[in-house]
């Protein structure tokens, strides 16, 4: 029996285990041995493996894993160096691993790229495929990324609920909702949905791609206050001034990768607004729940198919590729899975296109057409003792 | 046809419209005219009424209203003065309102108390009943409050998901989740559920009722780090030092009611911990979603019954009362509805009893037995375009 290794990397999503379930499903049905690497590539370097054929006993286990949020195999944030490549080759050979599927974002695609090139250069009979995931939707060469639809549904749902909540009072208030996305505003842009669908939602949506102009925002707020008392603003954590500096930049803090720390842009914006408006102003950060909570059925099923497709592709000796989604039609929603060169995806960032962005801190109908199919449907969740039932692999 | 007036007050909950639906259901089935006062008592003072018999056309409307979060009639935060009482009496007489049901928390019960006493003193044939609601569960003379079960389920669910999210890395991290509750820690205490049920959840739960002792917490953290890398702490927004000052107190800010402003205790705790731990430390505030999101079916059905019971009680000429829940049994969970004197509830605060609290910032099994029945079941929600379908009254 040939052996497939699968691992997960980067930030968790609500759909990352659906892709894992797809890989396992393909492997089991086609008589491959399937093992999991715990804690991503750094766990693989420590030979931290589990036998997934044994862990997933039946279809019921598989279905539960499919709707389990957060990386069931654990994750890491680790950049490969050259000595790692050699070490991994040795481990793969000793463990008899012929196929490797890495589920992750830009950095993980870089790992897939480096590994597959190294195996190619050394004429090794080992194949590597990347399966995309990220709530940020910032990978190039794919219509969208698995995990984004569920996160977008959570954002849309939360914005709708917050809009309903703040609507209960008839006096003026301003509410800011801070949404993940340092360079790409796709997730924040999802805040557009409720207003288009229900007429209650975010009044202004400021993306990482926008130029943040406080005076422009203030004028828009004042105009809106003439029509309604409650104003709701959605902002990307990475909004920037015209000169490119982050609104929430703290130059004294730099992280391990040399990125300037950006924190609590919502609170920063609240402080600015409090100087001009003597009103109740609240800032809400959606935080971790964005990537661990509500799921879209379309996203879960698509992520599962991507896992199956990745497995099928790698055992057919494709390597140095990433699975990508090509959209054939918005309505009815139809997609096709393809393989693209992983080197063309690694370390690149996709942004919200200008054609989707309006001048008054809003998104247009074109973006709604792109977005709406991705948040459709609710997977069936089993509950026990009032809590959802999830699957534990570690 | 005799006329019932119903209104809502205070902070919204996920179940407050279930109580409203119960009132409407009783009124319609028993041939009472039913009108709603928009924006609580302050709207009533402006004769801001709607005809609920017309707005709710059928059982389908009623079912949708039942699961709609946030006060569908709008809300207010307004303390009655003596001239208001006279004005309200005049409005009630002119509008032919004989029965009044006010759905709200402590402050709203004060309004019910004042109004019903005023009508009694003046020998008016007008009757007032309070229907409790608050996510804080801080009303006395009732086993628990409608709205609490849903909020507790949201907290338990969120803590479970956050615990799963932070578990993906094998290096040390600390995560703080800040939960609503200035004086009562019931909602924060709900963070205990996932750990008891699934073994993944909050490691420490610091309530408004606890004395916050940083050194004690630090010792507990250090001990826990010997066993596992990720630590999750749930804190009430109102945690206090031994001398009674709030940990997050900002003495420079005082709100309209004279309360010192407390803000972002999670961030405050994070800053303290960062001085001792060179680790990724994150603070998450659950914020508004606590009272506007996930619902417990037990809570929704109970809230509906309370609305029906309030309507039945008031048309039987009970006045100056609040509906209260008496628990008959934990397992099987069984309750009975009663009337209690609203004057004994108004302006009082119930706290988490000492018998439920352990010395290591945790809650015990006794509290789980109290809590668990309240978060059971998930009401059926209809979706359209990927978003839940709710009912609009205003």
């Amino acid at each position: 029996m040939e052996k497939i290794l699968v691992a997960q990397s980067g930030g968790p999503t609500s759909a990352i285990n659906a892709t894992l379930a797809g890989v396992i499903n393909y492997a089991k049905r086609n008589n491959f041995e399937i093992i999991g690497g715990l804690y991503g590539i750094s766990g693989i370097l420590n030979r931290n493996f589990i036998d997934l054929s044994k862990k997933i006993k039946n279809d019921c286990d598989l279905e539960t894993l499919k709707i389990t949020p957060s990386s069931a195999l654990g994750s890491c944030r680790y950049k490969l160096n050259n000595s790692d490549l050699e070490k991994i080759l040795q481990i793969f050979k000793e463990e008899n691993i012929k196929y490797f599927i890495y589920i992750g974002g830009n950095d993980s695609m870089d790992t897939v790229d480096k590994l597959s090139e190294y195996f190619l250069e050394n004429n090794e009979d080992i194949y590597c495929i990347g399966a995309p995931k990220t709530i940020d939707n910032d990978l190039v060469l794919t219509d969208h990324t698995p995990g984004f639809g569920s996160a977008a549904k959570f954002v849309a749902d939360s914005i709708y609920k917050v809009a309903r909540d703040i609507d209960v009072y008839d006096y003026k208030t301003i509410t800011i909702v801070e949404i993940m996305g340092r360079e790409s505003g796709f997730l924040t842009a999802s805040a557009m949905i409720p207003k288009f669908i229900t007429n209650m939602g975010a009044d202004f949506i400021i993306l990482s791609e926008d130029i943040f102009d406080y005076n422009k925002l203030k004028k828009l707020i004042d105009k809106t206050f003439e029509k309604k008392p409650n104003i709701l603003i959605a902002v990307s954590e990475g909004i920037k001034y015209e000169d490119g500096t982050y609104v929430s930049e703290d130059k004294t803090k730099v992280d391990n990768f040399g990125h300037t720390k950006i924190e609590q842009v919502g609170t920063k914006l609240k402080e600015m607004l409090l100087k001009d408006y003597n009103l109740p102003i609240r800032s809400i950060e959606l935080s971790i729940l964005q990537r661990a909570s509500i799921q879209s059925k379309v996203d879960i099923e698509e992520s599962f198919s991507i896992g199956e497709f990745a497995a099928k592709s790698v055992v057919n000796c494709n390597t140095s590729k990433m699975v990508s989604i090509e959209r054939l039609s918005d309505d009815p929603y139809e997609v096709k899975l393809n393989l693209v060169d992983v080197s063309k995806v690694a370390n690149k960032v996709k942004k919200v296109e200008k054609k989707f962005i309006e001048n008054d801190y809003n998104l247009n109908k074109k973006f709604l057409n792109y977005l709406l199919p991705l948040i459709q449907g609710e997977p069936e969740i089993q509950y026990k003792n009032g809590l959802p039932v999830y699957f534990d692999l570690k």
Side-chain angles (χ1 to χ4, degrees), chain A:
Chain A
M1 251 169 128
E2 290 183 317
K3 199 188 269 181
I4 303 174
L5 167 67
V6 58
Q8 297 171 320
S9 182
T13 79
S14 296
I16 191 166
N17 294 325
T19 301
L20 174 62
V23 171
I24 297 171
N25 190 44
Y26 183 89
K28 290 188 87 166
R29 289 188 198 278
N30 293 280
N31 293 312
F32 289 90
E33 209 182 325
I34 173 81
I35 63 167
L38 296 183
Y39 304 108
I41 204 75
S42 69
I44 292 172
L45 280 162
N46 294 316
R47 297 178 197 251
N48 203 346
F49 298 121
I50 56 169
D51 185 345
L52 289 169
S53 324
K54 283 189 190 145
K55 285 270 181 181
I56 302 291
K57 291 192 184 66
N58 48 46
D59 281 357
C60 180
D61 287 355
L62 203 71
E63 285 302 313
T64 309
L65 177 63
K66 201 169 152 181
I67 56 85
T68 297
S70 297
S71 319
L73 292 172
S75 184
C76 69
R77 293 193 183 276
Y78 182 80
K79 280 236 172 200
L80 280 189
N81 59 45
N82 287 343
S83 72
D84 290 334
L85 293 171
E86 202 176 319
K87 196 171 168 197
I88 290 171
L89 174 59
Q90 195 187 335
I91 293 169
F92 276 28
K93 280 177 151 177
E94 283 168 19
E95 301 283 340
N96 221 1
I97 295 161
K98 187 167 176 185
Y99 307 113
F100 176 47
I101 295 165
Y102 207 28
I103 310 170
N106 318 34
D107 290 343
S108 315
M109 293 312 127
D110 184 60
T111 301
V112 173
D113 186 29
K114 282 188 177 138
L115 267 181
S116 41
E117 289 308 312
Y118 185 76
F119 296 153
L120 280 171
E121 280 162 22
N122 290 276
N123 293 313
E124 297 291 346
D125 191 25
I126 305 176
Y127 305 88
C128 308
I129 289 267
K133 74 83 217 166
T134 163
I135 61 165
D136 294 328
N137 197 31
D138 62 350
L139 296 191
V140 297
L141 296 186
T142 183
D143 177 75
H144 58 278
T145 56
F148 170 63
S150 293
K153 189 180 180 96
F154 176 80
V155 167
D157 186 273
S158 299
I159 288 286
Y160 185 36
K161 284 165 177 166
V162 168
R164 295 192 73 93
D165 186 281
I166 63 176
D167 182 59
V168 304
Y169 299 115
D170 59 355
Y171 50 78
K172 286 183 181 175
T173 61
I174 300 175
T175 306
I176 304 152
V177 179
E178 178 183 334
I179 298 167
M180 283 180 173
R182 193 177 162 113
E183 302 303 327
S184 278
F186 285 101
L187 201 52
T188 307
S190 319
M192 77 168 308
I193 297 173
K195 191 103 177 194
F196 262 91
I197 301 294
T198 73
N199 209 26
M200 289 180 86
D203 298 295
F204 307 110
I205 298 168
I206 314 174
L207 308 181
S208 307
E209 289 83 350
D210 284 315
I211 291 166
F212 176 69
D213 176 346
Y214 178 75
N215 289 323
K216 176 177 150 184
L217 177 66
K218 191 175 173 303
K219 271 180 203 150
L220 289 166
I221 289 174
D222 292 338
K223 217 171 135 188
T224 306
F225 268 144
E226 291 168 14
K227 290 177 284 181
K228 65 199 254 312
N230 300 298
I231 288 180
L232 180 53
I233 306 168
V235 284
S236 291
E237 59 183 342
I239 59 169
K240 296 173 203 74
Y241 292 113
E242 197 167 6
D243 67 0
T245 56
Y246 292 103
V247 172
S248 61
E249 188 162 314
D250 182 346
K251 283 190 178 145
T252 62
K253 290 179 190 165
V254 177
D255 75 7
N256 299 338
F257 294 90
H259 300 307
T260 313
K261 205 135 190 186
I262 54 169
E263 265 190 335
Q264 298 196 312
V265 68
T267 306
K268 189 87 184 260
L269 184 52
K270 174 182 161 176
E271 282 161 9
M272 289 182 205
L273 288 165
L274 276 172
K275 285 182 187 148
D276 283 316
Y277 299 94
N278 182 22
L279 300 174
I281 303 181
R282 186 194 283 263
S283 167
I284 301 170
E285 204 181 330
L286 294 184
S287 193
I288 283 179
L289 291 176
Q290 286 165 87
R291 64 189 194 196
S293 193
I294 287 176
Q295 291 158 325
S296 128
K297 193 168 183 182
V298 164
D299 184 29
I300 294 292
E301 294 304 334
E302 217 164 60
S303 300
F304 185 80
S305 301
I306 282 168
E308 291 186 311
F309 190 83
K312 190 179 163 188
S313 303
V314 81
V315 301
N316 283 317
C317 298
N318 288 289
T319 198
S320 204
K321 302 284 180 189
M322 181 189 84
V323 181
S324 91
I325 305 170
E326 181 186 345
R327 187 180 303 214
L328 303 176
S329 156
D330 288 337
D331 187 19
Y333 176 64
E334 214 183 321
V335 295
K336 183 175 165 279
L337 302 182
N338 299 315
L339 293 178
V340 294
D341 289 346
V342 75
S343 62
K344 291 180 182 159
V345 179
N347 305 315
K348 291 192 181 66
V349 176
K350 186 167 81 175
K351 304 210 171 196
V352 179
E353 288 175 72
K354 284 216 162 65
K355 66 176 182 189
F356 292 140
I357 304 176
E358 296 295 298
N359 194 32
D360 59 346
Y361 293 136
N362 266 303
L363 283 294
N364 60 29
K365 186 83 194 319
K366 274 184 226 146
F367 190 70
L368 186 75
N369 295 340
Y370 166 78
L371 199 53
L372 213 48
L374 310 181
I375 69 156
Q376 298 306 308
E378 300 72 42
E380 206 177 304
I381 311 281
Q382 303 299 317
Y383 282 80
K384 197 180 160 186
N385 278 316
L387 286 181
V389 176
Y390 294 140
F391 201 84
D392 289 314
L393 277 178
K394 287 187 298 180

